[in-house]
Amino acid sequence: MTAAMKTICLDRPGALDRRLVQPGETFHFRCHPGIACFNRCCRNLNLFLYPYDVVRLKNRLGLTSEAFLERHTDLVLREGEHFPEVLLRMADNAERTCPFLEQAGCGVYTDRPDTCRSFPVEFGLVFEGQRAAHRSVAFFRPPDFCRGPDEPQTWTLDTWMDDQAARVYHRMTRRWAEIRALFAADPWEGRGPECPKGKMAFMAVFNMEAFREFVFASTFLKRYRVPADRLQAARADDQALLELGFAWVPFFLGRRPTALIRPR
């Protein structure tokens, strides 16, 4: 299985060949320990982790960002792309299970990644023209072995997201997808993501400890203005700091002032 939020480019909105779920449309699903396929979806995954996933997981495990990335992920630079993907490293066993899978189920359930949280719904972004805004789309895509759709429980996208406490995750993932789109034009100008700008972008969204030191222990605050309340929140809260990182990346790549960061 492969799971990731994708940016979908269409000339015609009706050209999607997947099972779209429209707002208000219902679907059936329930996962529970008594179902025949329980935990089968937690094996042999190419599971993409997004910045907020890493924040939640590393804090759950009591690790720094660097330690979590080293211990639990692989960085993959796909051909034709200019920024690495962060993939969760599966356990070294015959079934390549998720490293957090326990006999009773997910061992990090309340902090599970966005993709796991939304399953069996997959979200994407559709871009319908150079000047059009991205819009979210959702697909109901359980794998063939999944028996969850046979259960009588009925959901809409809204009730499913609320039940899975997925709204913050989805908002942060969508923001990250929009930022990743900036890398499509190779902002490193052929020098690769290991160049200073590439390392800066990675640090700002995937290494909260290093980014916090950069913001508060360098000349950053002498050069840039950040609203006092957001700055105070970012000192102690990784989500607030990540939101600052999401503002910083497009700012330093394009020198565009934002509501969060302005030159002094």
Side-chain angles (χ1 to χ4, degrees):
M1 293 176 63
T2 300
M5 175 174 274
K6 302 176 177 64
T7 299
I8 303 164
C9 299
L10 296 175
D11 293 327
R12 292 176 293 108
L16 283 169
D17 60 356
R18 304 178 183 184
R19 296 177 56 191
L20 273 167
V21 182
Q22 302 290 354
E25 184 179 348
T26 60
F27 58 91
H28 293 278
F29 188 78
R30 182 175 175 239
C31 182
H32 55 91
I35 202 165
C37 58
F38 187 60
N39 288 343
R40 188 174 169 186
C41 57
C42 305
R43 290 162 167 77
N44 196 30
L45 292 168
N46 289 323
L47 183 62
F48 295 79
L49 296 180
Y50 310 125
Y52 187 63
D53 295 333
V54 172
V55 164
R56 291 287 293 263
L57 287 170
K58 66 100 175 175
N59 287 341
R60 169 66 176 258
L61 299 172
L63 298 173
T64 64
S65 304
E66 186 173 353
F68 175 83
L69 292 171
E70 176 66 27
R71 192 174 304 178
H72 291 294
T73 73
D74 295 304
L75 302 186
V76 178
L77 185 62
R78 296 192 286 184
E79 185 176 357
E81 297 201 354
H82 307 289
F83 195 86
E85 301 278 9
V86 177
L87 271 69
L88 182 66
R89 185 182 302 142
M90 295 293 107
D92 187 14
N93 55 36
E95 293 189 308
R96 295 187 68 246
T97 56
C98 172
F100 309 124
L101 180 62
E102 301 175 356
Q103 186 173 0
C106 179
V108 293
Y109 186 78
T110 56
D111 298 287
R112 64 199 185 282
D114 188 29
T115 298
C116 306
R117 191 171 294 265
S118 299
F119 178 88
V121 177
E122 293 183 7
F123 290 94
L125 292 179
V126 176
F127 185 69
E128 297 176 314
Q130 291 186 348
R131 297 184 179 180
H134 288 79
R135 64 179 176 87
S136 293
V137 291
F139 311 102
F140 182 65
R141 298 193 67 195
D144 292 340
F145 62 76
C146 181
R147 302 274 62 87
D150 299 333
E151 298 285 310
Q153 183 75 49
T154 301
W155 308 93
T156 64
L157 291 175
D158 280 339
T159 59
W160 181 245
M161 289 177 68
D162 287 340
D163 184 78
Q164 299 298 304
R167 290 195 180 275
V168 172
Y169 274 84
H170 185 62
R171 177 174 63 81
M172 298 293 278
T173 298
R174 175 177 175 137
R175 181 70 182 115
W176 172 235
E178 292 169 345
I179 291 170
R180 270 197 66 92
L182 300 176
F183 306 141
D186 187 10
W188 330 127
E189 300 177 332
R191 291 175 294 169
E194 286 298 312
C195 73
K197 279 189 174 182
K199 289 181 177 180
M200 170 67 77
F202 190 88
M203 175 191 70
V205 297
F206 279 113
N207 192 329
M208 292 298 94
E209 293 77 19
F211 186 54
R212 182 173 282 113
E213 183 176 0
F214 170 74
V215 171
F216 293 104
S218 74
T219 60
F220 180 89
L221 294 177
K222 294 180 180 179
R223 294 179 291 147
Y224 306 106
R225 301 178 187 274
V226 179
D229 59 333
R230 303 299 292 270
L231 200 60
Q232 182 178 357
R235 284 185 182 275
D237 181 74
D238 281 346
Q239 180 180 335
L241 183 64
L242 178 57
E243 290 173 342
L244 184 62
F246 282 170
W248 172 241
V249 172
F251 175 79
F252 89 80
L253 287 180
R255 309 299 297 176
R256 296 193 303 270
T258 71
L260 277 183
I261 303 171
R262 295 184 179 277
R264 287 191 179 275

